[in-house]
Amino acid sequence: MFKSILAAGAACCILMSASAQAADAPAAKANLAIYGQLPNIEEVEISPDGSKLALIVTTGEQRFLMIRQVGGGVLGGINAGATKLRGVTWVGEDHLLLITSQTSDVIGLSGPAREYYMASTFNWKTKKQTLLLRSQESAMNVVIGAPMVRSINNEPVVFLEGVHFIANQGVDMLYRVNLRSNTTRMMDYGVRLDTDGWLVDVKGDPVATTLYDTKRGQWSLRMKLDGGWKTVDEADTPMGSYGMAGFGRDGKSVLVWRTDDKNKSFLREYAGDKHTDLPNDLDLSGLIHDPATLALLGGVTLKGDDLTYTFFDEASQKAWNAVVKAFKGDRVHLSSWSNDRKRVVVLVDSPESGQAYALVDLTTKQASWLGDVYEGVTPEAVSPVRSIKYKAADGLEITGYLTLPKGRDPKNLPLIVLPHGGPEGRDEPGFDWWSQAMASRGYAVLQPNFRGSEGFGWDFVKAGFGEWGKKMQTDLSDGVRDLAKQGIVDPKRVCIVGASYGGYAALAGATLDRGVYRCAVSVAGPSDLKKMMLTTRAEANGGASASQRYWLRFLGADGIKDPDLATISPAKLADKVEAPILLIHGKDDTVVRYDQSQAMANALKKAGKPVNFITLDGEDHWLSRGATRLKMLSETVAFVEKHNPPD
């Protein structure tokens, strides 16, 4: 079964066996550009009938949308240039929906610059691209939330949420756009901007909407019953809206992720004003819906290091198991599939050769490679990754991943600690471009899932509350001490590098947990926590917000004026710094504002401490541009090699 994939896998094994004979010799250092460049393929979507593929591909700084015939040649496409192309979705067989974003201020709106998302369509047959919502009077040319794609009487239709102004007051408006006739009409509108989501059924009728009162921290669900809107449920959710999770098992009921009194997540299925809670043992973090009927088919979850797909019906589960079996030893992610679910695009993550996209045909039982995610990443350029566990000082078990430099004896190695962002995120097994780049320079790389990380149960998340800069920080250095005790790393040759919250952790390593790290690199890391909270308040137009409440819970502070914020703010502790620091920040960052790194740089200069500050012009929080992403990586490696030489 899947002979083409099995043959490729056998060839891979032969190559690895040959290279293993030279494992005693250190691997030659690969070009940093193969890791720091934008992914060669960012997304692959298969058309509803399974005959065509839409790919977002890159060349240097340029992004392209390419349309290919399955098993054939290129049908067309567009050059998106340096535009931040965030996603592509088929709408029927001729049209594609494109989502782009840009950082900007909007005249008439208060608050700092934001990242705004726009929608356009591309007809690959006529080569025409059309910006949606552009012709609507009193409407912003931006979209809110994920567009909903439907085929209604064989007509390609997109439903979008946008901001419409009525008497200078913005309301969340639902728009219906017929792509074939190029007509747009308003469907329904919410209650000011408290409306935070809509759900449209397969026939094109709005059936549910949610509202969130950010100041009161209250969520409510409204459904269309007997021709009118009725509130069917509400809850106090101070940390953010429940929102909606799509349609239920029959394609008509509405799903919502709820939490019980122990904060364990579960799915509630609403059929009119009645509801049913799905079984507690249904442990799913991502849901999978039928592309044609919208019905819930199952879901996916990451339990520890195991990626598991669960389908409700036996035939679907059997088909997926056959797909996974074709890529033995690799992690397989569902990317997209045809409406009949006979052709499946998967992202295959190989521990030996990195990531690549493949197309599986369940009818012919054949599979074919579509292309590598990172062009130039060969098996020789991929360092081995192992799962690790260790105990924090208070006995809490911490898990994570250790990347070891290929071809080097894992003894007395220089180490880079690379904490993830969030902080309620997590690192996952599989290819990670940043850790692989550092390992290619001869460093071991530790990625700990410190307390507060998601994916390990609510108690583990809750263990991080109030521990920002405290136990969340020492969880990292406890990992250093464990590796040093095993003899894997040299405790005198350790640096800490991170982005976003990981950038904060890098600065905290130089100010709050001193004596562990020889240098620190912060990419877009917060440094002045009171200033960060004031920015969050400004974005909420001066009032309290769910975002602000969320951060304060992790910070362990009673409010913006809490003096404890200064005790865990690196910018307020610059005089304690003993290690050289590199700051890197995108000028267009709307998540952690550029002035956070400015504040840290100014504080370090005032204290007479060494600091390098690199500005990434035109870059956002996610390193979306090729040149600046590579610049970040190159500057980081050069700095670390200077202050913590790998040899």
Side-chain angles (χ1 to χ4, degrees):
M1 189 175 185
F2 304 120
K3 292 179 181 178
S4 59
I5 291 295
L6 290 175
C12 174
C13 293
I14 292 171
L15 288 172
M16 290 304 296
S17 297
S19 63
Q21 296 175 5
D24 293 335
K29 290 183 178 180
N31 187 343
L32 274 181
I34 68 172
Y35 307 103
Q37 66 187 344
L38 290 175
N40 180 51
I41 303 178
E42 293 189 312
E43 187 175 352
V44 181
E45 293 290 318
I46 194 165
S47 64
D49 70 356
S51 67
K52 299 172 289 296
L53 297 168
L55 301 89
I56 300 178
V57 299
T58 68
T59 301
E61 193 76 8
Q62 306 296 303
R63 285 182 169 90
F64 300 85
L65 173 66
M66 180 189 299
I67 315 301
R68 284 174 46 184
Q69 188 79 34
V70 168
V74 175
L75 297 173
I78 55 174
N79 181 355
T83 300
K84 292 187 280 190
L85 183 53
R86 301 299 191 183
V88 58
T89 305
W90 285 93
V91 190
E93 298 299 327
D94 300 340
H95 296 84
L96 294 116
L97 176 69
L98 311 180
I99 301 297
T100 60
S101 77
Q102 67 180 42
T103 309
S104 64
D105 299 287
V106 175
I107 297 174
L109 290 186
S110 61
R114 295 175 171 86
E115 191 78 7
Y116 290 100
Y117 291 81
M118 290 145 287
S120 63
T121 61
F122 174 67
N123 185 322
W124 69 268
K125 287 186 174 179
T126 65
K127 317 301 182 189
K128 185 178 181 180
Q129 186 175 3
T130 305
L131 188 63
L132 302 184
L133 301 186
R134 187 175 185 176
S135 62
Q136 295 300 296
E137 294 184 5
S138 301
M140 288 178 64
N141 181 32
V142 298
V143 296
I144 306 171
M148 291 167 282
V149 170
R150 304 288 184 262
S151 178
I152 302 171
N153 298 323
N154 293 320
E155 293 287 322
V157 179
V158 177
F159 293 88
L160 301 166
E161 291 179 63
V163 180
H164 182 78
F165 290 95
I166 300 176
N168 295 321
Q169 175 68 55
V171 297
D172 187 321
M173 180 69 70
L174 181 65
Y175 293 93
R176 183 185 194 273
V177 185
N178 186 307
L179 303 188
R180 189 165 290 155
S181 63
N182 195 26
T183 56
T184 302
R185 66 183 177 91
M186 294 183 288
M187 292 286 292
D188 212 330
Y189 62 89
V191 183
R192 300 182 305 281
L193 287 181
D194 287 347
T195 300
D196 74 341
W198 298 86
L199 199 58
V200 175
D201 67 15
V202 73
K203 296 181 293 184
D205 296 324
V207 295
T209 181
T210 56
L211 287 81
Y212 186 69
D213 187 324
T214 186
K215 293 184 178 180
R216 295 170 57 200
Q218 189 173 65
W219 165 89
S220 58
L221 172 67
R222 303 171 73 214
M223 295 185 68
K224 203 70 169 288
L225 301 175
D226 300 323
W229 290 102
K230 178 181 178 182
T231 298
V232 298
D233 201 1
E234 54 188 7
D236 292 326
T237 57
M239 301 303 161
S241 173
Y242 280 148
M244 290 178 288
F247 286 100
R249 292 166 290 183
D250 61 358
K252 300 177 181 178
S253 57
V254 175
L255 289 175
V256 175
W257 278 112
R258 298 290 304 263
T259 54
D260 60 22
D261 53 7
K262 294 183 179 179
N263 230 66
K264 181 176 174 57
S265 296
F266 66 94
L267 276 171
R268 177 165 288 178
E269 197 171 34
Y270 296 84
D273 54 4
K274 302 184 186 313
H275 67 260
T276 302
D277 294 341
L278 272 64
N280 289 330
D281 59 354
L282 188 64
D283 187 10
L284 303 175
S285 55
L287 303 181
I288 302 172
H289 290 87
D290 188 296
T293 68
L294 310 180
L296 179 68
L297 300 175
V300 58
T301 191
L302 180 62
K303 296 180 181 178
D305 294 339
D306 297 325
L307 186 68
T308 303
Y309 282 80
T310 302
F311 293 91
F312 298 140
D313 69 283
E314 186 177 347
S316 294
Q317 189 68 61
K318 186 177 180 180
W320 178 254
N321 291 345
V323 171
V324 173
K325 188 177 179 181
F327 306 93
K328 190 174 182 180
D330 299 335
R331 292 166 53 79
V332 184
H333 304 257
L334 173 63
S335 179
S336 64
W337 51 13
S338 57
N339 274 4
D340 63 7
R341 293 184 274 143
K342 297 297 185 182
R343 283 181 170 172
V344 187
V345 175
V346 291
L347 174 62
V348 182
D349 195 331
S350 165
E352 287 84 22
S353 54
Q355 297 173 322
Y357 281 98
L359 174 65
V360 179
D361 190 319
L362 291 172
T363 301
T364 64
K365 299 183 179 179
Q366 292 290 313
S368 56
W369 294 112
L370 299 175
D372 295 330
V373 172
Y374 287 93
E375 194 172 33
V377 173
T378 63
E380 290 74 25
V382 179
S383 293
V385 182
R386 65 171 68 163
S387 300
I388 62 167
K389 294 180 181 180
Y390 61 90
K391 290 294 181 71
D394 63 358
L396 183 66
E397 184 176 82
I398 306 296
T399 64
Y401 305 97
L402 180 66
T403 304
L404 294 169
K406 194 163 193 173
R408 293 192 62 169
D409 189 12
K411 293 180 181 178
N412 211 38
L413 293 170
L415 177 68
I416 303 297
V417 177
L418 189 64
H420 63 70
E424 197 181 343
R426 67 159 291 175
D427 277 308
E428 299 183 1
F431 185 88
D432 177 81
W433 64 271
W434 202 352
S435 60
Q436 286 290 333
M438 301 304 295
S440 76
R441 278 31 223 166
Y443 297 99
V445 182
L446 172 63
Q447 296 174 278
N449 284 316
F450 47 84
R451 70 190 69 207
S453 301
E454 66 179 357
F456 305 95
W458 175 246
D459 287 343
F460 194 79
V461 173
K462 191 166 61 175
F465 295 167
E467 297 298 340
W468 185 301
K470 300 170 186 174
K471 289 182 180 179
M472 286 168 65
Q473 190 67 34
T474 55
D475 284 350
L476 310 179
S477 51
D478 286 338
V480 175
R481 286 180 277 273
D482 183 78
L483 293 176
K485 184 179 179 181
Q486 297 179 56
I488 297 174
V489 306
D490 180 352
K492 296 180 181 179
R493 294 195 295 160
V494 184
C495 282
I496 183 168
V497 177
S500 196
Y501 174 81
Y504 166 84
L507 297 176
T511 53
L512 290 163
D513 198 10
R514 299 187 308 281
V516 181
Y517 308 105
R518 294 181 67 178
C519 65
V521 181
S522 170
V523 181
S527 69
D528 185 332
L529 301 179
K530 180 177 179 179
K531 189 180 185 73
M532 185 178 77
M533 289 294 96
L534 287 171
T535 301
T536 303
R537 182 170 182 166
E539 291 171 346
N541 296 319
S545 70
S547 176
Q548 195 177 90
R549 290 188 289 267
Y550 173 87
W551 291 121
L552 289 172
R553 184 168 65 175
F554 269 105
L555 292 167
D558 292 331
I560 292 176
K561 297 181 179 180
D562 193 324
D564 286 348
L565 288 178
T567 67
I568 54 173
S569 292
K572 303 299 182 183
L573 306 169
D575 60 321
K576 298 182 182 297
V577 170
E578 299 169 350
I581 289 177
L582 172 63
L583 304 170
I584 304 176
H585 214 126
K587 200 70 179 289
D588 286 353
D589 194 333
T590 60
V591 178
V592 177
R593 302 282 169 174
Y594 179 75
D595 61 10
Q596 286 289 319
S597 286
Q598 283 181 312
M600 190 69 200
N602 292 338
L604 288 167
K605 290 175 183 176
K606 185 177 180 181
K609 303 295 182 178
V611 59
N612 293 43
F613 186 11
I614 305 294
T615 296
L616 303 178
D617 290 324
E619 187 54 274
D620 56 30
H621 192 68
W622 308 280
L623 298 173
S624 300
R625 302 194 181 281
T628 44
R629 175 168 146 162
L630 180 56
K631 182 178 181 180
M632 181 285 294
L633 183 60
S634 300
E635 294 284 358
T636 296
V637 168
F639 183 83
V640 169
E641 287 183 330
K642 176 181 177 181
H643 296 287
N644 189 29
D647 301 314

